[in-house]
């Protein structure tokens, strides 16, 4: 079955041009002008719209046990919501358990996702410990499972937190095997001390979540991870960067030649710490780790995106209902499950606050929400690219239309949206995943299980649908 996406303005990470896209089966076969459609070719009109490569969200937590509960959105609702927002690939975090084979964790995540996803997906693998068994198993994670990124938590003491020895050995091993190491960079020991002190003083409201996780704790951990990466001669990706102190560490390590990358999220760009002071426990809706920061950090983050000091936008989708989940921490902020719903509005916020407000260019928008993550995580050019042979994952986007974000109309399963009532410039009209229209004018046209697990290429290598043929 052939399709032609006609009359749109194609926007990639590097170029903006008028052309039509011929799709054959699941892939883009030609890009050009004046195609003569054969009988049965479906024409998709993109007149007046941009055509972007489908978004790649490198940071989601679907169906994940955390904070005494389980994230509300699973691989059905989470990936469907992602599709509505223009995202056509996600990489989700697979949690491992100490003392248990890594393969068990991978199987658990396959069981959560197989046959459920609306869009293609992959997994990052959490590393909580390094021992003989883990070292023996890691090569097969890359070679057999196609999981080419490892995640180490420097925070969440007594839950996920790993020590420096674990991080350092993970960095060394990742370099050897061809994987990218990701870190949640906050000093968990310092935060543990500060939270205990706050509780002892009777400070139990949501705002103390932010006040006990200061910017210094993020800056210090980010700097430490950068130094260990340089020492190991390895590669690092810092997730959810929230503040100037962390940006500075990444910037200076990169200037010194380190292979280090940084992600931020829509919440840090467009919300600030005062949200946590909302009355009636509403502040709990805005509990993320790292926490929302003072407003001045937003300019620093936008500047970092514009100048290339940070390179990607993740959603850090980790959704919990306000009623029944967030309220576990009603009397104690340390019991509020950390995280929020963002998979659906990730691209919207970046377009509306970024491109429409003149903070970043259109091409930067594509790089930040799709192409760069595809390159870093071994998905490019199959994903994150409008090129011949790439998957026909496309977003037809009307830059002149507007909409209002609301939990009444969002697709995520949670009972609130952190951007409730926000007016957004730009609306997703059509989303194609592997040549199939899965979203049309806010209606889901796909089928559960359209999305499949993707085995990714090693760090720095490309993932192609077909091998190059000799001519
Ligand atoms: O608060 C957050 N970020 N929740 C998700 C888990 C994590 O640390 O990424
Ligand atoms: Zn038209
Ligand atoms: Zn994290
Ligand atoms: Zn996360």
């Amino acid at each position: 079955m052939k399709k032609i996406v006609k009359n749109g303005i194609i926007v990639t990470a590097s170029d903006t041009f008028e052309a039509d896209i011929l799709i054959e089966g699941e892939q883009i076969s030609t890009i050009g002008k004046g195609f003569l459609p054969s009988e049965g070719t479906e024409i998709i009109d993109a007149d007046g719209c941009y055509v972007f490569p489908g978004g790649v969200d490198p940071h989601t937590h679907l169906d994940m046990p955390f904070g005494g509960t389980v994230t509300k959105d699973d691989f059905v609702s989470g990936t469907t919501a992602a599709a509505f927002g223009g995202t056509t690939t996600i990489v989700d975090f697979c949690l491992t358990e100490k003392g248990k084979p890594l393969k068990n964790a991978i199987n658990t995540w396959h069981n959560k996702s197989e046959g459920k996803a609306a869009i293609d997906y992959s997994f990052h693998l959490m590393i909580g410990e390094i021992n003989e068994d883990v070292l023996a198993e890691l090569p097969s994670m890359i070679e057999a499972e196609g999981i080419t990124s490892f995640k180490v938590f420097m925070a969440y003491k007594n839950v996920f937190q790993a020590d420096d020895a674990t991080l350092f050995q993970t960095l060394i091993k990742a370099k050897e095997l061809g994987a990218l190491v990701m870190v949640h960079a906050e000093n968990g020991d310092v935060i543990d001390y500060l939270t205990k002190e706050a509780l002892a003083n009777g400070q139990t409201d949501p705002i103390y979540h932010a006040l006990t996780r200061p910017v210094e704790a993020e800056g210090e951990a980010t700097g430490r991870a950068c130094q260990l990466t340089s020492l190991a001669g390895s590669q690092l990706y810092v997730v959810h960067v929230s503040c100037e102190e962390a940006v500075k560490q990444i910037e200076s390590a990169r200037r010194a030649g380190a292979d280090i990358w940084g992600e931020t999220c829509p919440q840090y760009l467009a919300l600030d710490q005062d949200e946590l002071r909302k009355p009636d426990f509403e502040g709990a809706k805005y509990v993320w780790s790292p926490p929302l920061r003072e407003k001045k950090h937003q300019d620093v983050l936008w500047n970092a995106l514009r100048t290339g000091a940070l390179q990607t936008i993740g959603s850090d989708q980790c959704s919990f209902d306000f009623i029944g989940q967030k309220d576990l921490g009603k009397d104690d902020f340390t019991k509020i499950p950390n995280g929020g719903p963002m998979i659906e509005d990730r691209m919207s916020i970046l377009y509306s606050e970024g491109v429409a407000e003149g903070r970043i260019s259109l091409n930067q928008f594509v790089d930040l929400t799709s192409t760069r993550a595809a390159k870093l995580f071994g998905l490019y050019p199959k994903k994150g690219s409008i090129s011949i042979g790439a998957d026909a994952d496309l977003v037809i986007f009307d830059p002149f239309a507007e909409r209002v974000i609301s939990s009444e109309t969002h697709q995520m399963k949670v009972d609130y949206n952190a951007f409730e009532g926000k007016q957004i410039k730009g609306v997703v009209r059509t989303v194609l995943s592997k040549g199939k229209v899965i979203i049309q004018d806010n209606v889901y046209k796909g089928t559960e299980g359209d999305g499949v697990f993707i085995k990714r290429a090693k760090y720095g290598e490309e993932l192609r649908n077909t091998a190059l043929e000799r001519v």
Side-chain angles (χ1 to χ4, degrees), residues 133-153:
D133 293 340
V134 171
L135 288 174
E137 227 189 327
L138 278 180
S140 72
M141 292 294 122
I142 310 258
E143 303 294 341
E145 307 290 339
I147 296 175
T148 55
S149 43
F150 305 146
K151 166 77 171 292
V152 177
F153 287 93

Side-chain angles (χ1 to χ4, degrees), residues 254-295:
R254 283 172 63 81
R255 249 201 315 272
D259 193 3
I260 292 175
W261 307 87
E263 164 201 277
T264 190
C265 313
Q267 51 272 32
Y268 302 117
L269 292 164
L271 295 170
D272 70 76
Q273 198 165 294
D274 283 342
E275 305 285 353
L276 283 98
R277 298 183 192 275
K278 283 191 170 160
D280 303 323
F281 193 62
E282 274 230 36
K285 293 178 179 174
Y286 305 91
V287 166
W288 278 277
S289 294
L292 298 181
R293 302 300 188 185
E294 284 171 16
K295 207 169 171 55

Side-chain angles (χ1 to χ4, degrees), residues 378-382 454-457 461-465:
L379 290 159
Y380 184 85
K382 181 179 171 70
I454 309 236
K455 290 186 178 181
R456 293 181 284 125
E461 295 182 5
E462 293 194 338
L463 184 67
R464 289 186 183 273
N465 280 313

Side-chain angles (χ1 to χ4, degrees), residues 23-29 120 378-385 387-393 433-435 452-455 457 462-469:
I23 298 165
E24 292 187 71
E26 297 193 344
Q27 290 157 23
I28 295 170
S29 74
D120 287 350
L379 290 159
Y380 184 85
K382 181 179 171 70
K383 304 295 187 186
S385 168
S387 61
I388 292 165
D391 279 0
D393 291 0
S433 168
K434 293 174 289 184
V452 297
F453 180 78
I454 309 236
K455 290 186 178 181
E462 293 194 338
L463 184 67
R464 289 186 183 273
N465 280 313
T466 46
L468 284 178
E469 282 173 30

Side-chain angles (χ1 to χ4, degrees), residues 186-187 190-192 194-195 198-199 203-218 242-243 268 271-278 283-284 286-295 297 332-336 338:
E186 284 186 293
N187 186 319
V190 167
I191 290 165
D192 183 60
L194 294 174
T195 51
L199 290 181
Q203 297 166 327
T204 59
D205 288 347
I207 184 61
Y208 292 103
H209 171 80
L211 300 180
T212 54
R213 305 184 86 100
V215 290
E216 291 85 350
E218 187 180 341
S242 76
C243 64
Y268 302 117
L271 295 170
D272 70 76
Q273 198 165 294
D274 283 342
E275 305 285 353
L276 283 98
R277 298 183 192 275
K278 283 191 170 160
Y286 305 91
V287 166
W288 278 277
S289 294
L292 298 181
R293 302 300 188 185
E294 284 171 16
K295 207 169 171 55
H297 292 274
D332 174 352
F333 71 88
T334 66
K335 297 199 169 68
I336 301 170
N338 290 195

